[in-house]
Amino acid sequence: MPTTNTTNISKGEKLAQRLSRILARLHQGDRIDKHQLAREYGVDVRTIERDLAERLLGIAERDPQGLWQLTHAARSTIPAKHLHGYARLSGTEYLFPDGSLGYLLEQLNTPEIQRATHVQATPLEDLRGTGTFAALHEAIASRRPCRFIYKARARLALPYRLIHKNGVWYLAAEEGGRLKNFSVALIEQLDVDPSAQFPLDPAHADYIDRQDDVWFTTETTEVLLRVAPDVAHYFSRQQLLPHQRQHADDDGSLLVSTRINHINQLLPVVRHWLPHVRILRPQAWQDELVQGLKQAIQMWEG
């Protein structure tokens, strides 16, 4: 009697493990071949058919190709395989050194107070409730021209992309034949023309996709910076500037080269790291930086 009971428990455990793994694959969005499953678990194909058609009734269904997938009614959650796609979309793909699905699910299943990790989120603007973002998204998908007020001026723009940078959403659009960026939060009285459609310029689309910033111009300036040893590791461990390249000197300082579209793209970064960063080239930009600092000091002292 004890031997029979142990055997029954073993079979029950195997069944539970098999069903849980099949469910996990279905929720990942996999389409399952019953013959492959039978080989994997060392059981008869009829056993797998019973698993799918009877034990998982209402959860699994056969598609036109004879493979098994999650029923439409059971698709109440995002398939796990889409989590990695979402991480790439949101720019968090390399947030954790361990980007595996297992690690992520373990963190999500751990109570927040017990987690070993804590991410301090970047401040983000809140565009909920405005309707502007959704309307621009539809205009881009449909290639519809847009009219709006931006910084007190009427604009007619051809929208190409919505770009997120440092917590702010921007619209990349063509205006008067030139690519420009517009802060979505500052767009007012948006009117999408439903009767017109514009052709995409492949050169514009390619340029936007290649950029790692929201400053759009065909002319760039090569810049050379000297970064002091005290803060050199901050520039080495992440890209603080577009197209950044660096070379370490014997004294521990860095020579950092970059290509900048506009001086105002560079100055906020340099000011943040003063007095540890100096603009070596172009000299005119270093002079403008110093002049701006002198004017600020005079204003503060006055």
Side-chain angles (χ1 to χ4, degrees):
M1 181 72 70
T3 304
T4 304
N5 186 41
T6 302
T7 304
N8 289 338
I9 292 174
S10 178
K11 288 182 178 179
E13 288 176 345
K14 288 182 179 179
L15 172 62
Q17 290 176 359
R18 187 171 70 246
L19 290 178
S20 66
R21 290 168 182 169
I22 292 174
L23 274 172
R25 291 177 60 172
L26 288 171
H27 279 284
Q28 288 177 21
D30 290 355
R31 295 164 67 238
I32 294 174
D33 182 344
K34 63 183 182 182
H35 298 283
Q36 181 180 348
L37 280 185
R39 290 191 297 270
E40 288 180 13
Y41 292 109
V43 297
D44 192 272
V45 173
R46 287 174 295 181
T47 300
I48 296 297
E49 287 181 337
R50 190 157 53 248
D51 287 345
L52 295 166
E54 298 178 15
R55 297 181 176 119
L56 297 179
L57 179 64
I59 299 176
E61 65 181 4
R62 187 183 283 108
D63 69 8
Q65 287 73 44
L67 301 177
W68 288 81
Q69 62 185 6
L70 204 64
T71 63
H72 183 76
R75 299 173 195 173
S76 58
T77 57
I78 299 175
K81 69 177 183 180
H82 291 338
L83 291 174
H84 292 303
Y86 177 77
R88 289 191 294 273
L89 176 66
S90 60
T92 59
E93 184 177 7
Y94 303 110
L95 177 61
F96 296 103
D98 185 349
S100 67
L101 181 60
Y103 175 80
L104 177 59
L105 293 177
E106 180 185 354
Q107 294 299 303
L108 293 175
N109 289 325
T110 302
E112 187 171 353
I113 195 171
Q114 297 177 12
R115 290 176 189 162
T117 58
H118 173 68
V119 178
Q120 295 185 344
T122 302
L124 305 173
E125 63 181 355
D126 189 352
L127 297 178
R128 292 175 297 178
T130 64
T132 304
F133 187 91
L136 288 172
H137 190 282
E138 178 60 29
I140 292 170
S142 304
R143 303 201 305 276
R144 305 292 186 189
C146 297
R147 297 181 185 274
F148 51 84
I149 303 297
Y150 190 80
K151 296 184 177 180
R153 287 180 51 196
R155 311 285 187 137
L156 172 61
L158 309 180
Y160 273 73
R161 294 282 193 282
L162 287 163
I163 302 173
H164 189 264
K165 181 74 174 180
N166 296 331
V168 178
W169 278 103
Y170 297 91
L171 170 67
E174 177 187 332
E175 183 186 38
R178 293 180 53 197
L179 277 178
K180 298 182 180 180
N181 71 74
F182 303 91
S183 172
V184 173
L186 300 181
I187 292 176
E188 301 177 324
Q189 301 179 33
L190 174 64
D191 180 31
V192 179
D193 188 346
S195 63
Q197 196 172 40
F198 67 92
L200 288 177
D201 185 332
H204 284 344
D206 181 64
Y207 176 83
I208 294 170
D209 290 341
R210 286 187 288 105
Q211 294 304 301
D212 55 4
D213 212 315
V214 293
W215 294 83
F216 298 148
T217 176
T218 56
E219 298 179 0
T220 61
T221 300
E222 185 172 352
V223 175
L224 184 65
L225 307 175
R226 170 75 68 181
V227 180
D230 291 346
V231 300
H233 64 284
Y234 290 105
F235 284 77
S236 297
R237 71 184 186 184
Q238 65 180 128
Q239 294 283 309
L240 297 179
L241 294 164
H243 310 293
Q244 177 181 319
R245 300 181 303 279
Q246 60 264 344
H247 169 74
D249 264 357
D250 294 337
D251 63 356
S253 66
L254 283 183
L255 281 175
V256 176
S257 62
T258 178
R259 298 202 68 86
I260 299 297
N261 294 350
H262 192 279
I263 187 173
N264 289 336
Q265 184 183 12
L266 174 71
L267 292 185
V269 177
V270 175
R271 292 191 192 107
H272 178 81
W273 294 104
L274 287 177
H276 305 289
V277 176
R278 176 184 177 87
I279 303 173
L280 299 181
R281 193 169 60 237
Q283 182 62 43
W285 285 18
Q286 173 69 12
D287 295 341
E288 186 168 339
L289 169 66
V290 172
Q291 183 62 28
L293 293 173
K294 288 180 178 179
Q295 292 175 350
I297 292 173
Q298 291 175 357
M299 182 175 61
W300 295 331
E301 291 178 341

